[in-house]
Amino acid sequence: MGLSWKEGVLTILLGAAAASGLTTLILFLVEATSILLPADTKFGIVFDAGSSHTSLFVYKWPADKENNTGVVSQALACQAEGPGISSYTSDPALAGESLRGCLEEALALIPEAQHRETPTFLGATAGMRLLSQKNSSQAERIFAEVARVLSQSPVDFRGASLLAGLDEGAFAWITINYVLGSLLTYTFSGEWARPPEATLVGALDMGGASTQMSFVPGGPILDASTKASFILYGSSYSVYSHSYLCFGRDEVLNRLLARLVQVRPARAGRHSGLARHPCYHSGYRATVPLAPLFESPCVHTSMPPGAAQNLTVEGAGNPGACVSAIRELFNFSSCEGQADCTFDGVYQPLMQGRFYAFSNFYYTFHFLNLTSGQTLDTVNATVWEFCQRPWKLVEVSYPEHASWLRDYCASGLYILTLLLEGYGFSEETWPSIEFRRQAGGTDIGWTLGYMLNLTNMIPAKAPAMKQAENYGVWAAGIVLVGLTLGAILGAAAVQLLWPRD
């Protein structure tokens, strides 16, 4: 039996709707593919030449999104073998050679065709700042050897430079807030917007030779030497930043030992002096050479004449005496009666907001299992209890941490002294500090902010929303297809059911 005229009409309409819908869907799938498939990737390399070691970081970002926010991610973190480059004064060539291992790892990760266009930087921090003060010619030779090795590598090497303390802190502040999306956000209304200032976080960094504090205060910054100004995505920021040279973990430990040493002239038949260290665990005993201790520019006293070349150190396990010794490293009296002063006469405006504490802040507290938001009372009790443990018990409990094990007590008590008595955190503001190694899968530090700044990847104006607009067009098209198909099918149904005259 043949089709009725109504069935024929319906068949034709449905066929047309199907053909139209399929054609439109193919077109939008092609557009969607161009949006959703990953774009070509670009890479950047930054060496962090710190006082105790050098680290390499590789960052990557989609090539067609260079001026958008939140697109840079960390692709590799590598720690170079050996100490920091400032340690190679006797053989500067080794400073450059020490970078080759990590550089080879980076080049293996980055496609060979992109090596020549990969911007590569080296920034040296407090270790080289100290060496530059002590012996500028030695520092220049080390920089020359580092530049020689990196210039010979198949990358776009853009220089090795000494990073000022102010910049080290400020770039770390950019890194954290960039990764957390606190500089720019995309709203539901389809516009870029500056997040509320309350979402900005401060940066607390501690390396081997210096420690930095950076944040946006609630009022003006009255000391121009502590002010870093940026225009990021069309918004102006005035960041307070200060670096305390000689207050990094390693230099504090050296200064502490040098201050505690009551060197005794070697007696007949003896080859070392003897000192009891309140920050070392009871039962700990070691012999250390004295000369390297007094070579640091941070130790302002010289080795006493007639002193033994070596020193035998015994632990006392006395956290109260340890805190007293640590306090002697600060000049708190220089800030008496001043609300905007920390120690050693350093200006600091009133703190506000949350803070991320990283590097040695994090590593020390992570070892002590204190990175989960514990109260200040719990933190204090935990550090003091650890300091009072006998050395034999500590050795057995933490065999994998042997190289730094004797120093975690002093480091923990130093961090508490610095944060509470130095920077001015209190029991009420303590919960605002988060101890973190990473944010958004990226290691926290100055390197990402440094690269973003030098490659101009953070524009002064908010980025255009071409890609988001494409998504909107795509979604609107899908809706239009649905409405069109619905209208056709509705019309067909009406024609089929409408009675003949």
Side-chain angles (χ1 to χ4, degrees):
M1 187 173 63
L3 295 173
S4 68
W5 74 271
K6 290 183 179 179
E7 291 171 332
V9 170
L10 179 60
T11 300
I12 293 171
L13 290 173
L14 290 176
S20 174
L22 182 60
T23 301
T24 308
L25 183 60
I26 290 172
L27 292 174
F28 278 111
L29 286 176
V30 170
E31 175 66 17
T33 301
S34 70
I35 295 171
L36 298 176
L37 286 181
D40 292 338
T41 301
K42 288 190 174 183
F43 296 88
I45 299 173
V46 184
F47 285 92
D48 174 2
S51 59
S52 58
H53 65 268
T54 298
S55 296
L56 172 149
F57 296 94
V58 176
Y59 298 106
K60 62 179 181 179
W61 61 92
D64 64 342
K65 300 181 187 176
E66 192 166 303
N67 286 333
N68 284 359
T69 185
V71 296
V72 178
S73 59
Q74 181 175 304
L76 175 69
C78 176
Q79 182 167 317
E81 292 186 8
I85 61 172
S86 58
S87 302
Y88 293 101
T89 52
S90 59
D91 193 349
L94 290 179
E97 294 301 317
S98 70
L99 309 179
R100 291 191 186 275
C102 282
L103 184 59
E104 289 174 3
E105 282 195 42
L107 294 177
L109 172 71
I110 300 169
E112 186 174 354
Q114 294 179 250
H115 287 178
R116 293 292 179 187
E117 62 186 53
T118 299
T120 302
F121 311 89
L122 182 140
T125 55
M128 287 297 287
R129 288 200 289 270
L130 286 173
L131 180 59
S132 296
Q133 292 179 7
K134 180 182 177 182
N135 191 320
S136 60
S137 61
Q138 287 182 337
E140 289 170 2
R141 285 195 292 271
I142 289 175
F143 272 125
E145 288 298 325
V146 164
R148 179 184 62 81
V149 169
L150 295 181
S151 297
Q152 293 172 353
S153 63
V155 294
D156 179 15
F157 176 57
R158 300 190 182 183
S161 60
L162 188 64
L163 197 63
L166 174 75
D167 293 334
E168 184 178 359
F171 289 142
W173 180 89
I174 290 179
T175 295
I176 298 172
N177 287 284
Y178 177 90
V179 172
L180 293 178
S182 299
L183 300 177
L184 197 67
T185 188
Y186 186 61
T187 66
F188 288 111
S189 61
E191 296 178 348
W192 287 110
R194 177 180 179 176
E197 193 167 280
T199 64
L200 296 173
V201 301
L204 298 170
D205 186 8
M206 182 183 291
S210 67
T211 188
Q212 287 73 234
M213 185 185 206
S214 307
F215 63 96
V216 173
I221 299 173
L222 303 179
D223 182 350
S225 69
T226 65
K227 181 178 179 179
S229 298
F230 302 100
I231 297 179
L232 309 172
Y233 300 116
S235 298
S236 299
Y237 297 90
S238 292
V239 180
Y240 166 83
S241 180
H242 185 77
S243 178
Y244 296 83
L245 195 58
C246 298
F247 282 88
R249 180 196 61 188
D250 300 351
E251 291 299 338
V252 161
L253 294 174
N254 286 339
R255 293 169 60 204
L256 188 61
L257 181 58
R259 181 175 284 270
L260 291 171
V261 168
Q262 301 296 322
V263 180
R264 302 173 182 176
R267 298 174 185 172
R270 294 185 61 183
H271 300 285
S272 68
L274 177 67
R276 286 181 60 79
H277 200 314
C279 307
Y280 293 167
H281 298 269
S282 59
Y284 174 85
R285 185 181 177 95
T287 300
V288 296
L290 276 181
L293 188 65
F294 291 93
E295 290 175 358
S296 169
C298 295
V299 176
H300 300 301
T301 57
S302 57
M303 190 170 169
Q309 294 300 307
N310 297 311
L311 176 72
T312 298
V313 183
E314 293 182 348
N318 187 338
C322 180
V323 170
S324 297
I326 289 171
R327 283 176 177 150
E328 293 179 4
L329 303 179
F330 297 81
N331 182 359
F332 292 121
S333 61
S334 62
C335 288
E336 285 183 3
Q338 301 178 58
D340 57 356
C341 185
T342 55
F343 56 90
D344 291 6
V346 174
Y347 164 80
Q348 178 186 294
L350 187 65
M351 293 183 297
Q352 68 170 3
R354 294 182 301 137
F355 287 81
Y356 270 47
F358 48 98
S359 298
N360 285 322
F361 283 112
Y362 169 80
Y363 294 126
T364 299
F365 271 36
H366 176 69
F367 169 83
L368 296 167
N369 197 25
L370 292 173
T371 59
S372 301
Q374 289 90 341
T375 65
L376 181 56
D377 286 343
T378 299
V379 171
N380 264 313
T382 300
V383 177
W384 278 57
E385 187 276 330
F386 175 75
C387 291
Q388 292 172 323
R389 293 183 195 176
W391 176 245
K392 287 186 178 180
L393 177 60
V394 172
E395 271 190 308
V396 172
S397 302
Y398 306 99
E400 70 278 14
H401 293 276
S403 58
W404 288 103
L405 197 52
R406 74 172 190 183
D407 295 315
Y408 280 116
C409 167
S411 297
L413 292 174
Y414 166 60
I415 287 173
L416 284 169
T417 304
L418 174 66
L419 293 178
L420 298 173
E421 300 184 50
Y423 292 159
F425 287 96
S426 63
E427 186 173 358
E428 290 73 27
T429 58
W430 181 263
S432 68
I433 308 174
E434 297 185 41
F435 294 87
R436 295 284 184 267
R437 182 176 72 88
Q438 290 190 328
T442 299
D443 284 29
I444 303 173
W446 58 266
T447 52
L448 176 55
Y450 180 76
M451 188 196 74
L452 291 171
N453 180 68
L454 291 182
T455 55
N456 296 314
M457 284 185 59
I458 296 186
K461 294 183 179 180
M465 275 309 299
K466 180 178 179 181
Q467 186 178 11
E469 289 168 1
N470 285 342
Y471 277 112
V473 171
W474 179 44
I478 294 298
V479 172
L480 181 59
V481 170
L483 292 175
T484 301
L485 290 174
I488 293 172
L489 292 174
V494 168
Q495 288 293 329
L496 180 63
L497 299 176
W498 196 266
R500 250 193 284 185
D501 293 332

